[in-house]
Structures are given as C-alpha cells and as structure tokens.
Amino acid sequence: MLVAVYSSSVFGVDANLITLEVNIGQGIGYHLVGLPDNAIKESNYRIMAALTNLGYKIPGKKITINMAPADMRKEGAAYDLPLALGILAASGQIQADSLQQYIVLGELALDGTIRPIKGALPIVLQALRDGFTGFILPKENAEEAAIVKSLEVYGVSHLTEVIAFFEQKEKPAPTKVDVRKEFEAQLNAFAFDFSDVKGQETIKRGMEIAAAGGHNILLIGPPGAGKTMLAKRLPSILPPLRLEEALETTKIHSVVGKVKTRGLIHQRPFRSPHHTISDVALVGGGSYPQPGEISLAHNGVLFLDELPEFKRSVLEVLRQPLEDREITISRARFTVTYPASFMLVASMNPSPSGQFYDPNSKSGPTAFERQRYLNKLSGPLLDRIDLHIEVEPVPFAQLSEERSAESSAAIRQRVTAARALQTKRFQDLPLHYNAQMTTRHLRTFCVLDASSKDLLKKAMERLSLSARAYDRIIKVSRTLADLDAVEHIQSAHIAEAIQYRSLDREGWLG
C-alpha cells in the first residue's frame, strides 16, 4: 500500500515542501531514498523502537520510502514523526484519511515522546502558501508557529496524541497566540538602560546619533572606560521593531533554533561574537548552510569588542554585507542568500597597552606601537564606519552622583521621531535611514549652504581629514538635523559631526 505524508525542509531562511512516499510491498527490507543525511538514515531505529513500545507491529515486509524531490538534500531528525505515521498508515494499522491535509514534523524519542525541531516559523509560512489545512509539530514549537493565524497549528507531545488526532478519537484545540498583544507588552522590557550610566554624556550623544541615522559606530578608549557597557544599552534606544521586522527576525532565529521567547522576537537582537570567531560562523554557510552572526543580528546590533583582535580575514568579509545589507554564500552545490541589515558597533583600545598616545609621555605607547596596532584595521572597513568616538574613563565625582541619568525611553522618543522624518523622506526610495544614502542621494537630500561648506572645507584642511571623511560627515550632519527636526543642514550640525571622525585626523592612521 502506498501512502504520502507531507513534511518540509528549510534551506536558507525559506522552506520547501517535502513529500514522503511510503510503500509497503512484497519482500523484506527497509529502504530510504531521496538524499537523506545520517540523522534521517538512523530514523528507522528510533521509529521501530517507538512503535514497538506503543504496541504497534513492525511490518515484516519491504518498506520503501522516497523523500521527494529526490535531488534535494534533507537533514535532521524532524522527519521521524511523519515517517512513523506513513508506516502505520501504509500498513493499515491506523486510518488517516486526512493525513494529506497537514504538514507534519517532529523528532521521536524511543518511548514515542516528540522532541522540538528547528525552523518552525519558515515552515508554517510555506505550508500556508502551499494551501495546507494545518501544521502538526512538537508542543515546544507550537507558539512560534501559531504566529501565522491563517493556519491551524497543533502542538503535540507524544505519538499517541497524533494517532488519536488522525483516527478522529481526540482532536486538541489548535494553539492560539495574540501576537499584537504580546508584541506590544514586551517592547520596553530591556535588561539594560541608559539611566544606569553615570557621566559619558558625549558618548551617549554619539549613541543617540548612531541610533537615529542607523550609523555604524566605533568606540575607542582604555579598558574599563565603559565601552561594552554603553554598547549593550544601544538596542534600548533603537526604534521599536515593526511587526514585519519582528517576523523577519524571528524567522532567521527559528532556522537555527534560537527562538527562546513566546511567539515573536519582540526586541532588536544584540549579537556579540568572540574575537576568535571564524569567517563561516560570522557570515554563515557550512556543509548544511546556516545563518551566521551577521544574519542573527539582522534588524539589530552586531557588537565586535576589541576589534583589532579579530582576524583580518574575518573583518574583511564584513565589507560587502555592510554595503548590501545581505550576504550571498555560493558553493559548488548551493547558493543561498541571508538578510544582514545590522548596525555595526565596535570597540577597541587606542594602543596595545590600552592607553592613548601621548608624544610627551615616556611610559606610554610609542608612535610605532600605536601605528602597528591601528594598522590591523583596513581603510575600506573604516570607510563603512560613520562615527569614531573616544571614550575616556568617568571621573569619581560623576561616578558617585546619586541622581539617575536620562532614561533610554526618553532618548528613544527622539530617535523614533528622527527615524519618522527619514521614512517620509525616503518613501519612494529603497532606503530606510540616513546611513544608507549614497553620494547621489547626498546631492539631493543634503544640500549645504555657503557657511556650512566653508566650515567643512576649513576642517578638512586644518584637521587633515581624509577624503573618506567627507561623505560621512555630511550623513551624520543630516541625522543631527533630523534630531533637531529642521529641514536643512546647518553649520552647527557640520561642526558637531566633525568631532566624530577621530581616526581620520592626522596622527591616527597616518
């Protein structure tokens, strides 16, 4: 007897329909075809043990299973449940007339318990597009999948529940999630807040500018100055995730099994990989492609602490996704594209010893040591960082103050208002914030008056600013104007933006 069961496979951040054709005929044997990996090939041991422990018979015939399309590689143990149902239905041990209306996924334990899977959200989205009635999956994944309201999602914890479901003996209520209510309830639940930060007003101002314009930022200062502490608080002042952004972010995290919240991810991600990370772990890929850290930071922040300590090859692979907001990984057998629209926040010491260079000091780092340390960062990478900010240690008087600083909520209000102006400005363009502007857009949206041009010219000459600083200063100036809610860039905006180009000044990188 031939039975078809429908399942799904995740490739990249999207899912593909997989048809499991189970045929039981004359002979003896168990044959599984269709490019399964080792975890799927071992499924027969888990399935046979689970069925036996639940009192079902193992067909003493030839079992042939085809996983179609047969030229697509399949991986993981999530096919255990649909394969078990297919064997039971094909051998006539259960009646499952409605089996073909559902997508079924789940890993089986030897006692029939169903274990969670990865990629539930992209799979349920694909099931909806393919016209299925519902989705049967492990209970732990049910709330994640129930985000999609147009599909009935049934979370199950044991094989007996699934059998009772298809034999019409017991049908549980589908899982329901009030997405908007939970989404709005969690928007302001941040673990870190700028009200805890004493002093550092200049740095907090730079963070606000970076958040308002989507600018990449580099913090330069000695150990203990508060660089990491400030970076961790940046997500708390970014504009709240829109519902479509939350769905896109959750989809990426679902693929790697990192959805630890109920339903949607409500806050912008903050990823902080260690400096020993490999190229593949950062951008994604592998034998079975998986998103990397830059994709897990999509719609959020990628924080690289101690930037010069990262391998140069790792830093150089960041250049393309920083420009294109996505990463395309090409191998001999596959090509996959992952979204990677993130804010880069990096920190570094000003020298190997951690001290700022002082030409009059005999105990501090020499100019050669400082230069060799800074040369670990390439010019093209620094080209993509709009703000360079020096972070000094906080004086004791400010540390001992009892009054709280300005809260993240207050800062976020100003950031959100500035982003709203940018959304209106770029409504007919594929841009979302100022940092994405090209030179052509600068000519249209960042017209400078005579005094602003004169100020910028003098700064370029007196401070020996490099040519790459020119566009960055104008972009940051546009964001400063948006924070002030004025239409045109003023000379005061140019003057403030110039302060945030430390590494372009003479004596830093030569």
Side-chain angles (χ1 to χ4, degrees), residues 169-191:
K169 294 179 180 179
E170 184 180 349
K171 188 173 183 179
T175 303
K176 301 291 184 182
V177 174
D178 190 340
V179 175
R180 189 167 294 277
K181 181 179 179 181
E182 292 194 5
F183 183 70
E184 293 175 353
Q186 297 294 324
L187 283 179
N188 297 316
F190 293 101

Side-chain angles (χ1 to χ4, degrees), residues 246-264:
L247 189 64
E248 191 176 41
T249 304
T250 306
K251 189 176 174 182
I252 298 169
H253 286 245
S254 175
V255 169
V256 293
K258 293 186 179 292
V259 179
K260 298 178 181 178
T261 58
R262 292 184 61 191
L264 282 174

Side-chain angles (χ1 to χ4, degrees), residues 440-489:
R440 177 169 56 87
H441 298 126
L442 293 180
R443 290 196 295 266
T444 304
F445 301 113
C446 303
V447 179
L448 303 181
D449 58 23
S451 61
S452 296
K453 286 183 179 178
D454 184 57
L455 177 61
L456 184 54
K457 179 183 177 182
K458 290 179 180 179
M460 297 283 290
E461 294 173 349
R462 293 181 182 178
L463 300 177
S464 300
L465 296 177
S466 64
R468 66 172 173 253
Y470 180 82
D471 285 356
R472 268 51 191 177
I473 290 173
I474 295 178
K475 286 183 184 181
V476 173
S477 300
R478 177 68 268 174
T479 299
L480 288 166
D482 290 339
L483 284 169
D484 289 341
V486 296
E487 183 177 355
H488 299 293
I489 296 173

